[in-house]
């Protein structure tokens, strides 16, 4: 299927690795030019060079912390006029409800709620003016079903979800869609870090930790960044213009809900 977005330009945040990289690669595969971002320049440049060589699209890079005001300003300076925005950043740390101070909440809200909102605020007006735009926010299954140890993430991402629910309806008349992708467990560095923590705590091998976690997923495996990226590219396609304000779970069936 031709997604009809060749020649468009996308900002994909936090995209040198993992799910962001999966989205960047899938969009590049459809002929979309990219602005890629991550904090660490080395892996970012490597990922960009691979994409340029593999897909022949233009790729600009901005090494910056997307959750900081200065970092965002630098990224937006390069990405102005983008037709497609994929928001992403690292998730907040785990803990107990009693661990977190006001500052911890402010930091989580800044990173996982106010950063995507600031990016949308900056890029939506031009999309609306052109009469076409696509925004995909990478959030988490924790929006549908709370992950108790991720209280900071549950809170910040729920706030973003509420904002998107209303805003998506306000920009849809101008041909702009906003949707959220909710990853369950995917095979990325973040999943490795969580599995490594289980290995250390329980004295088991990585293989055993992974197998145990995969057993909790009806699909009996972790998701792949490439299939996550393919879903993102479809949401950014010409065919997805009637999908507005949705929260799409990509979790192998792990969240036990009917709707
Ligand atoms: P990952 O494999 O660790 O990759 C994270 C990417 O984001 C890297 O390119 C990293 O590069 C970049 N990054 C992190 N913080 C950044 C920042 N402040 N500014 C700019 N770039 C930043 O993570 P992932 O698994 O793809 O996860 C992506 C998001 O999905 C996270 O919010 C995570 O909580 C959420 N999620 C993931 C899963 C999963 O199973 N993987 C499940 C549910 C939710 P630098 O470190 O160089 O900046």
């Amino acid at each position: 299927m031709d997604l009809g977005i060749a020649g468009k330009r996308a900002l994909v945040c936090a995209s040198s690795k993992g799910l962001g990289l999966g989205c960047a690669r899938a969009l590049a595969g459809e002929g979309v030019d990219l602005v890629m971002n991550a904090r660490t320049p080395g892996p970012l440049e490597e990922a960009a060079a691979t994409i340029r060589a593999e897909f022949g699209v233009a790729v600009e890079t901005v090494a910056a912390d997307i959750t900081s005001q200065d970092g965002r300003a630098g990224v937006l300076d390069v990405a102005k006029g983008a037709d497609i925005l994929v928001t992403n950043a690292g998730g907040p740390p785990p803990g107990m409800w009693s661990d977190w101070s006001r500052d911890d909440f402010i930091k989580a809200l800044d990173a996982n709620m106010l950063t995507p909102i600031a990016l949308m605020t900056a890029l939506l007006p031009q999309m609306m003016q052109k009469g076409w735009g696509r925004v995909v926010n990478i959030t988490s299954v924790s929006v549908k079903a709370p992950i108790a140890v991720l209280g900071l993430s549950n809170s910040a991402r729920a706030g973003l979800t509420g904002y998107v629910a209303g805003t998506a309806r306000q920009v849809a008349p101008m041909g702009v869609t906003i949707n959220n992708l909710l990853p369950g467990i995917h095979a990325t560095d973040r999943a490795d870090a969580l599995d490594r923590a289980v290995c250390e705590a329980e004295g088991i091998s990585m293989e055993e930790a992974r197998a145990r976690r995969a057993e909790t997923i009806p699909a009996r495996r972790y998701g792949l960044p490439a299939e996550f990226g393919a879903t993102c590219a479809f949401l950014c396609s010409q065919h997805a213009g009637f999908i507005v304000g949705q929260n799409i779970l990509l979790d192998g069936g792990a969240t036990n809900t009917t709707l």
Side-chain angles (χ1 to χ4, degrees):
M1 186 195 287
D2 178 3
L3 297 189
I5 49 176
K8 301 274 188 202
R9 190 157 171 266
L11 166 59
V12 187
C13 303
S15 57
S16 66
K17 293 180 183 172
L19 304 180
L21 178 57
C23 295
R25 289 181 55 82
L27 289 167
E30 294 300 322
V32 174
D33 294 327
L34 299 175
V35 178
M36 293 175 68
N37 150 260
R39 289 164 303 182
T40 321
L44 177 63
E45 292 308 328
E46 252 173 63
T50 306
I51 289 178
R52 281 185 206 109
E54 213 172 314
F55 303 109
V57 295
V59 183
E60 293 163 280
T61 56
V62 187
D65 183 343
I66 198 70
T67 68
S68 77
Q69 209 163 347
D70 285 355
R72 243 182 346 266
V75 170
L76 285 168
D77 195 38
V78 173
K80 52 177 164 287
D83 309 287
I84 294 169
L85 165 65
V86 180
T87 76
N88 186 30
M96 277 294 285
W97 63 271
S98 49
D99 292 341
W100 301 308
S101 65
R102 177 181 161 79
D103 281 352
D104 295 320
F105 277 101
I106 298 292
K107 208 168 157 199
L109 291 171
D110 252 341
N112 297 107
M113 177 185 169
L114 298 176
T115 289
I117 289 175
L119 291 163
M120 283 184 262
T121 304
L123 292 178
L124 284 171
Q126 281 169 325
M127 293 181 188
M128 290 159 71
Q129 222 166 17
K130 284 191 272 187
W132 195 95
R134 298 284 184 264
V135 178
V136 174
N137 300 294
I138 300 180
T139 66
S140 170
V141 291
S142 69
V143 167
K144 285 260 187 203
I147 301 171
V149 294
L150 293 180
L152 292 173
S153 170
N154 298 339
S155 309
R157 296 191 199 277
L160 174 63
T161 306
Y163 171 87
V164 166
T167 306
R169 270 93 186 167
Q170 290 181 319
V171 302
M174 276 67 75
V176 179
T177 70
I178 313 178
N179 292 287
N180 302 322
L181 274 182
L182 283 51
I185 299 166
H186 280 73
T188 68
D189 284 4
R190 178 163 166 98
D192 274 354
L194 293 173
D195 288 337
R196 207 165 299 114
V198 172
C199 292
E200 281 159 22
E202 300 194 20
I204 58 172
S205 67
M206 274 295 265
E207 288 65 36
E208 199 174 340
R210 281 191 192 121
R212 271 196 209 172
R213 212 141 69 106
E215 202 48 40
T216 66
I217 304 171
R220 296 290 185 269
R221 65 176 178 85
Y222 289 11
L224 303 174
E227 53 196 355
F228 188 91
T231 310
C232 175
F234 181 77
L235 283 178
C236 295
S237 76
Q238 298 294 359
H239 310 294
F242 210 50
I243 305 177
V244 170
Q246 296 303 297
N247 291 281
I248 295 163
L249 264 181
L250 285 169
D251 71 344
T255 309
N256 198 29
T257 56
T258 302
L259 286 175

